[in-house]
Amino acid sequence: MDPRAAAIEDRLAGVRRIVAVGGSKGGIGKSVVAAALSLAWADGGRRVGLFDLDFTSPTGHVILGAGTRFPSEEFGIDPHVVAGVAMMSVAFFSGEAPAPLRGGEATNALLELLAITRWGNLDVLVVDLPPGLGDTTLDVVRFLPGTGFMLLGTASIVVLESVRRALRLLGEVGVPIVGVVENMRRDGGDLVEGLARSAGVPFLGSVPYDAGLESALGNPGRLRRTGFFDAVRRLAGRLDG
Amino acid sequence: MHEFALADAVVKAAVRAAREAGIDRVEAVVVRVGELQQIATDLFEFSLTQVLPPSDPLLEGARFVVEREAVVFRCRVCGREFGTGDLGEAPGADEAEAVHFIPELAHAFVRCPGCGSPDFDILAGRGVTLERIEGRGGDLPGSP
Ligand SMILES: Nc1ncnc2c1ncn2[C@@H]1O[C@H](COP(=O)(O)OP(=O)(O)OP(=O)(O)O)[C@@H](O)[C@H]1O
Ligand SMILES: [Mg+2]
Ligand SMILES: [Zn+2]
C-alpha cells in the first residue's frame, strides 16, 4: 500500500481551488500564461500556488526568475515564494540536470511531490501541464479531483486539432472545463472562439502576441508591465467569478 | 531529511488501512523502505515509534517493523541489471538529496554501468511502502 495517498489529502486540505493550464499542443504559451495568471492573482491579494508539472522540461522557475535552489524542509518541503507566488518545481531538486522520465515515473514523481509539499492555505493552485494528453493530464484528473481545466489555443488549425481532442477527452471523463483562451493573437478572426462555442465551453478571451514578452521573462516586475500581462490580468479577473 | 514527513504518511496510511480492514487494535505495522531514497532508518524509526503513535489510539502499543529493500535498476537499452553498489563514484550531496526527496531523479544522475544510458527501470528499492498491518478485529487482505 502506498502511504502517499493519505499524505496528499492532508497536504491539499487547505487548497480551495485548482486550475490546470493545458491545451495539449506544445509551445502555445501554457507555461507563460500559467505563471502570469498566478502572478496576477497574487497581485490581487489571493494566496496563490504555481505547480510546474512539466517534469522533463520545467520552465516556470525561469519565467518567474525563481532560480533552482533547494527548497527548505521541515515536516515537508516549502514552496519558494516568488513575487507573492508559492511555487514548486522539480527543477528545485534536479537543478539543470535533465531527468528523462517515462510515464509511470512521472506519476511517481508527481505523487512524491504532492505528498511532501506544504502548500498551506491557498485560494488557488495553478498547475502548469506539459504538452500532450498523456500521463500527467491523466494524473491530474485522477489525483487532483475537482481541478478545472483552462485550455489554451492559437488561431491555427494544427493547434485547434489538439485542443478539440483535449476537450473531447476531458468532457468524456467528466472534468470541469473552466474555459478556452486564445493566445498569441495577432489579427482578427475567431477560430478559437468558434471552437469553444461549438464545444459548448466558455471562451475566456484573447491574449495578444507580444514581442516584448521575451525580454520580460525571468523578471516579475518587467512581466507585469507587458501588454501580455494586461490581457492575462483581465483573464484572472474573469476567472474569479 | 524528510523522515518525519514519511513516517507521518505511513502512520496516516496505517490508520486508514486499519479502519478499512475493521481492525480496532493495531499490533504491528510492517514498512518496506527502499534504499534508493537513502532514508535515515534510525530517524525514521524514531519518528514512527516515539513521535507519531500517540496521534491515534488505534496505534497504541503497535510495533513498527522496518524492512530494507536493496535497489535494482534494469537498463532498457542493454538489459543489464545493476544496483547502487555498481555505480562507481558515490553521488554528490546535492544529487543524493534530490533523489532522497524524489527517487525518480535517479534518472538525472544515474547512468547504466553497461552502456551509459539514463533509460532504466527502477525494479526495486524505490521508496516507502506500507507492507501490511497486523492486529485484532481483522487483518489487511493479503497479510499472513
Ligand atoms: N502571447 C505571447 N506573445 C509572445 N510570445 C509568447 C506568447 N505566449 C507565449 N509566448 C512565447 O512562446 C514560447 C512558448 O511559450 P511556453 O513555454 O509558455 O509554451 P508552453 O505551451 O508551455 O510550451 P510546452 O508545451 O513546451 O510546455 C515562449 O518563448 C513564450 O515566451
Ligand atoms: Mg510549458
Ligand atoms: Zn545499459
Side-chain angles (χ1 to χ4, degrees), chain A residues 111-141:
Chain A
L111 291 177
E112 207 67 40
L113 272 177
L114 282 173
I116 58 181
T117 304
R118 304 173 60 189
W119 292 108
N121 293 318
L122 292 181
D123 295 311
V124 59
L125 176 62
V126 177
V127 171
D128 178 12
L129 290 172
L133 275 183
D135 302 280
T136 306
T137 302
L138 297 173
D139 285 340
V140 168
V141 170

PDB file of all heavy atoms in Angstrom, chain A residues 111-141:
ATOM      1  N   LEU A 111       3.375  12.130  -7.410  1.00  0.00           N
ATOM      2  CA  LEU A 111       2.833  11.704  -6.107  1.00  0.00           C
ATOM      3  C   LEU A 111       3.782  12.076  -4.982  1.00  0.00           C
ATOM      4  O   LEU A 111       3.361  12.509  -3.902  1.00  0.00           O
ATOM      5  CB  LEU A 111       2.579  10.188  -6.112  1.00  0.00           C
ATOM      6  CG  LEU A 111       1.440   9.733  -7.019  1.00  0.00           C
ATOM      7  CD1 LEU A 111       1.324   8.215  -7.015  1.00  0.00           C
ATOM      8  CD2 LEU A 111       0.122  10.353  -6.578  1.00  0.00           C
ATOM      9  N   GLU A 112       5.072  11.909  -5.241  1.00  0.00           N
ATOM     10  CA  GLU A 112       6.067  12.217  -4.221  1.00  0.00           C
ATOM     11  C   GLU A 112       6.020  13.699  -3.856  1.00  0.00           C
ATOM     12  O   GLU A 112       5.984  14.063  -2.673  1.00  0.00           O
ATOM     13  CB  GLU A 112       7.454  11.840  -4.758  1.00  0.00           C
ATOM     14  CG  GLU A 112       8.448  11.488  -3.696  1.00  0.00           C
ATOM     15  CD  GLU A 112       8.103  10.210  -2.953  1.00  0.00           C
ATOM     16  OE1 GLU A 112       7.645   9.241  -3.574  1.00  0.00           O
ATOM     17  OE2 GLU A 112       8.297  10.185  -1.719  1.00  0.00           O
ATOM     18  N   LEU A 113       5.964  14.546  -4.878  1.00  0.00           N
ATOM     19  CA  LEU A 113       5.926  15.991  -4.626  1.00  0.00           C
ATOM     20  C   LEU A 113       4.629  16.397  -3.934  1.00  0.00           C
ATOM     21  O   LEU A 113       4.627  17.235  -3.037  1.00  0.00           O
ATOM     22  CB  LEU A 113       6.079  16.767  -5.941  1.00  0.00           C
ATOM     23  CG  LEU A 113       7.508  17.059  -6.361  1.00  0.00           C
ATOM     24  CD1 LEU A 113       7.534  17.767  -7.714  1.00  0.00           C
ATOM     25  CD2 LEU A 113       8.206  17.925  -5.311  1.00  0.00           C
ATOM     26  N   LEU A 114       3.533  15.789  -4.364  1.00  0.00           N
ATOM     27  CA  LEU A 114       2.247  16.115  -3.728  1.00  0.00           C
ATOM     28  C   LEU A 114       2.255  15.706  -2.260  1.00  0.00           C
ATOM     29  O   LEU A 114       1.663  16.370  -1.414  1.00  0.00           O
ATOM     30  CB  LEU A 114       1.088  15.406  -4.451  1.00  0.00           C
ATOM     31  CG  LEU A 114       0.615  16.014  -5.767  1.00  0.00           C
ATOM     32  CD1 LEU A 114      -0.415  15.100  -6.426  1.00  0.00           C
ATOM     33  CD2 LEU A 114       0.022  17.407  -5.558  1.00  0.00           C
ATOM     34  N   ALA A 115       2.927  14.588  -1.981  1.00  0.00           N
ATOM     35  CA  ALA A 115       2.919  14.064  -0.615  1.00  0.00           C
ATOM     36  C   ALA A 115       3.781  14.877   0.342  1.00  0.00           C
ATOM     37  O   ALA A 115       3.592  14.817   1.553  1.00  0.00           O
ATOM     38  CB  ALA A 115       3.371  12.595  -0.617  1.00  0.00           C
ATOM     39  N   ILE A 116       4.744  15.632  -0.201  1.00  0.00           N
ATOM     40  CA  ILE A 116       5.649  16.343   0.713  1.00  0.00           C
ATOM     41  C   ILE A 116       5.545  17.859   0.663  1.00  0.00           C
ATOM     42  O   ILE A 116       6.058  18.551   1.535  1.00  0.00           O
ATOM     43  CB  ILE A 116       7.131  15.927   0.496  1.00  0.00           C
ATOM     44  CG1 ILE A 116       7.577  16.198  -0.936  1.00  0.00           C
ATOM     45  CG2 ILE A 116       7.337  14.465   0.857  1.00  0.00           C
ATOM     46  CD1 ILE A 116       9.032  15.789  -1.202  1.00  0.00           C
ATOM     47  N   THR A 117       4.878  18.404  -0.355  1.00  0.00           N
ATOM     48  CA  THR A 117       4.851  19.867  -0.489  1.00  0.00           C
ATOM     49  C   THR A 117       3.839  20.498   0.467  1.00  0.00           C
ATOM     50  O   THR A 117       2.681  20.095   0.521  1.00  0.00           O
ATOM     51  CB  THR A 117       4.513  20.278  -1.939  1.00  0.00           C
ATOM     52  OG1 THR A 117       5.448  19.678  -2.819  1.00  0.00           O
ATOM     53  CG2 THR A 117       4.557  21.800  -2.085  1.00  0.00           C
ATOM     54  N   ARG A 118       4.318  21.492   1.197  1.00  0.00           N
ATOM     55  CA  ARG A 118       3.445  22.202   2.145  1.00  0.00           C
ATOM     56  C   ARG A 118       2.868  23.440   1.478  1.00  0.00           C
ATOM     57  O   ARG A 118       3.420  24.522   1.575  1.00  0.00           O
ATOM     58  CB  ARG A 118       4.255  22.625   3.378  1.00  0.00           C
ATOM     59  CG  ARG A 118       4.941  21.473   4.069  1.00  0.00           C
ATOM     60  CD  ARG A 118       5.848  21.962   5.159  1.00  0.00           C
ATOM     61  NE  ARG A 118       5.087  22.714   6.166  1.00  0.00           N
ATOM     62  CZ  ARG A 118       5.642  23.397   7.147  1.00  0.00           C
ATOM     63  NH1 ARG A 118       6.947  23.466   7.251  1.00  0.00           N
ATOM     64  NH2 ARG A 118       4.899  24.049   8.017  1.00  0.00           N
ATOM     65  N   TRP A 119       1.718  23.260   0.836  1.00  0.00           N
ATOM     66  CA  TRP A 119       1.082  24.398   0.169  1.00  0.00           C
ATOM     67  C   TRP A 119       0.421  25.327   1.181  1.00  0.00           C
ATOM     68  O   TRP A 119       0.245  26.511   0.927  1.00  0.00           O
ATOM     69  CB  TRP A 119       0.049  23.924  -0.849  1.00  0.00           C
ATOM     70  CG  TRP A 119       0.646  23.222  -2.035  1.00  0.00           C
ATOM     71  CD1 TRP A 119       0.601  21.884  -2.326  1.00  0.00           C
ATOM     72  CD2 TRP A 119       1.401  23.825  -3.092  1.00  0.00           C
ATOM     73  NE1 TRP A 119       1.273  21.623  -3.486  1.00  0.00           N
ATOM     74  CE2 TRP A 119       1.772  22.790  -3.979  1.00  0.00           C
ATOM     75  CE3 TRP A 119       1.806  25.129  -3.378  1.00  0.00           C
ATOM     76  CZ2 TRP A 119       2.529  23.026  -5.137  1.00  0.00           C
ATOM     77  CZ3 TRP A 119       2.552  25.363  -4.522  1.00  0.00           C
ATOM     78  CH2 TRP A 119       2.908  24.325  -5.384  1.00  0.00           C
ATOM     79  N   GLY A 120       0.024  24.760   2.296  1.00  0.00           N
ATOM     80  CA  GLY A 120      -0.669  25.589   3.287  1.00  0.00           C
ATOM     81  C   GLY A 120      -2.040  25.997   2.773  1.00  0.00           C
ATOM     82  O   GLY A 120      -2.686  25.246   2.038  1.00  0.00           O
ATOM     83  N   ASN A 121      -2.481  27.194   3.152  1.00  0.00           N
ATOM     84  CA  ASN A 121      -3.789  27.667   2.703  1.00  0.00           C
ATOM     85  C   ASN A 121      -3.639  28.476   1.421  1.00  0.00           C
ATOM     86  O   ASN A 121      -2.924  29.466   1.389  1.00  0.00           O
ATOM     87  CB  ASN A 121      -4.431  28.539   3.784  1.00  0.00           C
ATOM     88  CG  ASN A 121      -4.775  27.704   5.009  1.00  0.00           C
ATOM     89  OD1 ASN A 121      -5.271  26.585   4.892  1.00  0.00           O
ATOM     90  ND2 ASN A 121      -4.472  28.239   6.171  1.00  0.00           N
ATOM     91  N   LEU A 122      -4.304  28.008   0.380  1.00  0.00           N
ATOM     92  CA  LEU A 122      -4.252  28.706  -0.912  1.00  0.00           C
ATOM     93  C   LEU A 122      -5.671  28.961  -1.408  1.00  0.00           C
ATOM     94  O   LEU A 122      -6.547  28.107  -1.285  1.00  0.00           O
ATOM     95  CB  LEU A 122      -3.544  27.842  -1.963  1.00  0.00           C
ATOM     96  CG  LEU A 122      -2.054  27.552  -1.824  1.00  0.00           C
ATOM     97  CD1 LEU A 122      -1.587  26.703  -3.009  1.00  0.00           C
ATOM     98  CD2 LEU A 122      -1.247  28.843  -1.727  1.00  0.00           C
ATOM     99  N   ASP A 123      -5.864  30.155  -1.987  1.00  0.00           N
ATOM    100  CA  ASP A 123      -7.138  30.395  -2.673  1.00  0.00           C
ATOM    101  C   ASP A 123      -7.160  29.625  -3.985  1.00  0.00           C
ATOM    102  O   ASP A 123      -8.183  29.107  -4.391  1.00  0.00           O
ATOM    103  CB  ASP A 123      -7.315  31.895  -2.942  1.00  0.00           C
ATOM    104  CG  ASP A 123      -7.443  32.676  -1.643  1.00  0.00           C
ATOM    105  OD1 ASP A 123      -8.261  32.251  -0.802  1.00  0.00           O
ATOM    106  OD2 ASP A 123      -6.717  33.672  -1.457  1.00  0.00           O
ATOM    107  N   VAL A 124      -6.005  29.570  -4.616  1.00  0.00           N
ATOM    108  CA  VAL A 124      -5.963  28.837  -5.886  1.00  0.00           C
ATOM    109  C   VAL A 124      -4.558  28.283  -6.129  1.00  0.00           C
ATOM    110  O   VAL A 124      -3.557  28.930  -5.836  1.00  0.00           O
ATOM    111  CB  VAL A 124      -6.433  29.736  -7.064  1.00  0.00           C
ATOM    112  CG1 VAL A 124      -5.577  30.986  -7.201  1.00  0.00           C
ATOM    113  CG2 VAL A 124      -6.456  28.968  -8.374  1.00  0.00           C
ATOM    114  N   LEU A 125      -4.528  27.068  -6.638  1.00  0.00           N
ATOM    115  CA  LEU A 125      -3.281  26.434  -7.067  1.00  0.00           C
ATOM    116  C   LEU A 125      -3.341  26.314  -8.583  1.00  0.00           C
ATOM    117  O   LEU A 125      -4.253  25.671  -9.121  1.00  0.00           O
ATOM    118  CB  LEU A 125      -3.134  25.052  -6.427  1.00  0.00           C
ATOM    119  CG  LEU A 125      -1.916  24.233  -6.853  1.00  0.00           C
ATOM    120  CD1 LEU A 125      -0.608  24.923  -6.480  1.00  0.00           C
ATOM    121  CD2 LEU A 125      -1.962  22.835  -6.222  1.00  0.00           C
ATOM    122  N   VAL A 126      -2.394  26.964  -9.258  1.00  0.00           N
ATOM    123  CA  VAL A 126      -2.340  26.900 -10.717  1.00  0.00           C
ATOM    124  C   VAL A 126      -1.367  25.799 -11.113  1.00  0.00           C
ATOM    125  O   VAL A 126      -0.244  25.746 -10.610  1.00  0.00           O
ATOM    126  CB  VAL A 126      -1.891  28.257 -11.312  1.00  0.00           C
ATOM    127  CG1 VAL A 126      -1.766  28.158 -12.829  1.00  0.00           C
ATOM    128  CG2 VAL A 126      -2.854  29.362 -10.914  1.00  0.00           C
ATOM    129  N   VAL A 127      -1.817  24.906 -11.981  1.00  0.00           N
ATOM    130  CA  VAL A 127      -0.997  23.773 -12.407  1.00  0.00           C
ATOM    131  C   VAL A 127      -0.597  23.973 -13.864  1.00  0.00           C
ATOM    132  O   VAL A 127      -1.459  24.161 -14.728  1.00  0.00           O
ATOM    133  CB  VAL A 127      -1.806  22.463 -12.237  1.00  0.00           C
ATOM    134  CG1 VAL A 127      -1.072  21.304 -12.885  1.00  0.00           C
ATOM    135  CG2 VAL A 127      -2.066  22.184 -10.776  1.00  0.00           C
ATOM    136  N   ASP A 128       0.694  23.943 -14.117  1.00  0.00           N
ATOM    137  CA  ASP A 128       1.211  24.097 -15.480  1.00  0.00           C
ATOM    138  C   ASP A 128       1.451  22.705 -16.055  1.00  0.00           C
ATOM    139  O   ASP A 128       2.323  21.975 -15.601  1.00  0.00           O
ATOM    140  CB  ASP A 128       2.515  24.907 -15.423  1.00  0.00           C
ATOM    141  CG  ASP A 128       3.151  25.087 -16.804  1.00  0.00           C
ATOM    142  OD1 ASP A 128       2.490  24.787 -17.821  1.00  0.00           O
ATOM    143  OD2 ASP A 128       4.316  25.534 -16.842  1.00  0.00           O
ATOM    144  N   LEU A 129       0.658  22.339 -17.063  1.00  0.00           N
ATOM    145  CA  LEU A 129       0.747  20.993 -17.634  1.00  0.00           C
ATOM    146  C   LEU A 129       1.787  20.920 -18.750  1.00  0.00           C
ATOM    147  O   LEU A 129       1.990  21.892 -19.469  1.00  0.00           O
ATOM    148  CB  LEU A 129      -0.610  20.589 -18.214  1.00  0.00           C
ATOM    149  CG  LEU A 129      -1.729  20.320 -17.212  1.00  0.00           C
ATOM    150  CD1 LEU A 129      -3.048  20.120 -17.944  1.00  0.00           C
ATOM    151  CD2 LEU A 129      -1.404  19.087 -16.382  1.00  0.00           C
ATOM    152  N   PRO A 130       2.418  19.754 -18.893  1.00  0.00           N
ATOM    153  CA  PRO A 130       3.272  19.551 -20.063  1.00  0.00           C
ATOM    154  C   PRO A 130       2.391  19.366 -21.297  1.00  0.00           C
ATOM    155  O   PRO A 130       1.185  19.152 -21.164  1.00  0.00           O
ATOM    156  CB  PRO A 130       4.019  18.267 -19.721  1.00  0.00           C
ATOM    157  CG  PRO A 130       3.110  17.523 -18.808  1.00  0.00           C
ATOM    158  CD  PRO A 130       2.351  18.563 -18.037  1.00  0.00           C
ATOM    159  N   PRO A 131       2.982  19.445 -22.490  1.00  0.00           N
ATOM    160  CA  PRO A 131       2.167  19.201 -23.685  1.00  0.00           C
ATOM    161  C   PRO A 131       1.683  17.761 -23.741  1.00  0.00           C
ATOM    162  O   PRO A 131       2.225  16.894 -23.078  1.00  0.00           O
ATOM    163  CB  PRO A 131       3.140  19.502 -24.835  1.00  0.00           C
ATOM    164  CG  PRO A 131       4.508  19.368 -24.249  1.00  0.00           C
ATOM    165  CD  PRO A 131       4.373  19.762 -22.812  1.00  0.00           C
ATOM    166  N   GLY A 132       0.656  17.546 -24.527  1.00  0.00           N
ATOM    167  CA  GLY A 132       0.167  16.189 -24.740  1.00  0.00           C
ATOM    168  C   GLY A 132      -0.998  15.856 -23.828  1.00  0.00           C
ATOM    169  O   GLY A 132      -1.329  16.582 -22.896  1.00  0.00           O
ATOM    170  N   LEU A 133      -1.617  14.735 -24.153  1.00  0.00           N
ATOM    171  CA  LEU A 133      -2.758  14.271 -23.353  1.00  0.00           C
ATOM    172  C   LEU A 133      -2.363  12.982 -22.659  1.00  0.00           C
ATOM    173  O   LEU A 133      -3.133  12.039 -22.592  1.00  0.00           O
ATOM    174  CB  LEU A 133      -3.956  13.983 -24.263  1.00  0.00           C
ATOM    175  CG  LEU A 133      -4.850  15.161 -24.616  1.00  0.00           C
ATOM    176  CD1 LEU A 133      -6.022  14.680 -25.467  1.00  0.00           C
ATOM    177  CD2 LEU A 133      -5.346  15.849 -23.361  1.00  0.00           C
ATOM    178  N   GLY A 134      -1.146  12.931 -22.180  1.00  0.00           N
ATOM    179  CA  GLY A 134      -0.645  11.677 -21.630  1.00  0.00           C
ATOM    180  C   GLY A 134      -0.744  11.590 -20.131  1.00  0.00           C
ATOM    181  O   GLY A 134      -1.695  12.071 -19.516  1.00  0.00           O
ATOM    182  N   ASP A 135       0.305  10.994 -19.585  1.00  0.00           N
ATOM    183  CA  ASP A 135       0.294  10.637 -18.164  1.00  0.00           C
ATOM    184  C   ASP A 135      -0.064  11.777 -17.229  1.00  0.00           C
ATOM    185  O   ASP A 135      -0.869  11.607 -16.332  1.00  0.00           O
ATOM    186  CB  ASP A 135       1.671  10.107 -17.775  1.00  0.00           C
ATOM    187  CG  ASP A 135       2.045   8.917 -18.630  1.00  0.00           C
ATOM    188  OD1 ASP A 135       1.565   7.822 -18.334  1.00  0.00           O
ATOM    189  OD2 ASP A 135       2.770   9.118 -19.616  1.00  0.00           O
ATOM    190  N   THR A 136       0.560  12.929 -17.435  1.00  0.00           N
ATOM    191  CA  THR A 136       0.383  13.990 -16.450  1.00  0.00           C
ATOM    192  C   THR A 136      -1.044  14.520 -16.445  1.00  0.00           C
ATOM    193  O   THR A 136      -1.619  14.764 -15.386  1.00  0.00           O
ATOM    194  CB  THR A 136       1.404  15.112 -16.698  1.00  0.00           C
ATOM    195  OG1 THR A 136       2.711  14.528 -16.717  1.00  0.00           O
ATOM    196  CG2 THR A 136       1.349  16.142 -15.602  1.00  0.00           C
ATOM    197  N   THR A 137      -1.623  14.687 -17.632  1.00  0.00           N
ATOM    198  CA  THR A 137      -3.019  15.128 -17.686  1.00  0.00           C
ATOM    199  C   THR A 137      -3.908  14.108 -16.972  1.00  0.00           C
ATOM    200  O   THR A 137      -4.756  14.462 -16.144  1.00  0.00           O
ATOM    201  CB  THR A 137      -3.474  15.284 -19.154  1.00  0.00           C
ATOM    202  OG1 THR A 137      -2.615  16.219 -19.791  1.00  0.00           O
ATOM    203  CG2 THR A 137      -4.917  15.771 -19.224  1.00  0.00           C
ATOM    204  N   LEU A 138      -3.675  12.836 -17.270  1.00  0.00           N
ATOM    205  CA  LEU A 138      -4.480  11.789 -16.637  1.00  0.00           C
ATOM    206  C   LEU A 138      -4.244  11.748 -15.133  1.00  0.00           C
ATOM    207  O   LEU A 138      -5.172  11.504 -14.346  1.00  0.00           O
ATOM    208  CB  LEU A 138      -4.171  10.425 -17.265  1.00  0.00           C
ATOM    209  CG  LEU A 138      -4.527  10.323 -18.755  1.00  0.00           C
ATOM    210  CD1 LEU A 138      -4.029   9.013 -19.336  1.00  0.00           C
ATOM    211  CD2 LEU A 138      -6.030  10.470 -18.972  1.00  0.00           C
ATOM    212  N   ASP A 139      -3.006  11.997 -14.720  1.00  0.00           N
ATOM    213  CA  ASP A 139      -2.695  12.013 -13.285  1.00  0.00           C
ATOM    214  C   ASP A 139      -3.407  13.151 -12.572  1.00  0.00           C
ATOM    215  O   ASP A 139      -3.875  12.991 -11.443  1.00  0.00           O
ATOM    216  CB  ASP A 139      -1.181  12.160 -13.065  1.00  0.00           C
ATOM    217  CG  ASP A 139      -0.437  10.868 -13.354  1.00  0.00           C
ATOM    218  OD1 ASP A 139      -1.092   9.805 -13.345  1.00  0.00           O
ATOM    219  OD2 ASP A 139       0.772  10.926 -13.578  1.00  0.00           O
ATOM    220  N   VAL A 140      -3.473  14.304 -13.216  1.00  0.00           N
ATOM    221  CA  VAL A 140      -4.168  15.437 -12.597  1.00  0.00           C
ATOM    222  C   VAL A 140      -5.644  15.100 -12.424  1.00  0.00           C
ATOM    223  O   VAL A 140      -6.245  15.347 -11.375  1.00  0.00           O
ATOM    224  CB  VAL A 140      -3.972  16.722 -13.429  1.00  0.00           C
ATOM    225  CG1 VAL A 140      -4.911  17.828 -12.967  1.00  0.00           C
ATOM    226  CG2 VAL A 140      -2.522  17.196 -13.317  1.00  0.00           C
ATOM    227  N   VAL A 141      -6.223  14.500 -13.460  1.00  0.00           N
ATOM    228  CA  VAL A 141      -7.629  14.111 -13.374  1.00  0.00           C
ATOM    229  C   VAL A 141      -7.833  13.127 -12.218  1.00  0.00           C
ATOM    230  O   VAL A 141      -8.787  13.223 -11.449  1.00  0.00           O
ATOM    231  CB  VAL A 141      -8.095  13.465 -14.708  1.00  0.00           C
ATOM    232  CG1 VAL A 141      -9.466  12.846 -14.568  1.00  0.00           C
ATOM    233  CG2 VAL A 141      -8.059  14.504 -15.829  1.00  0.00           C
TER     234      VAL A 141
END
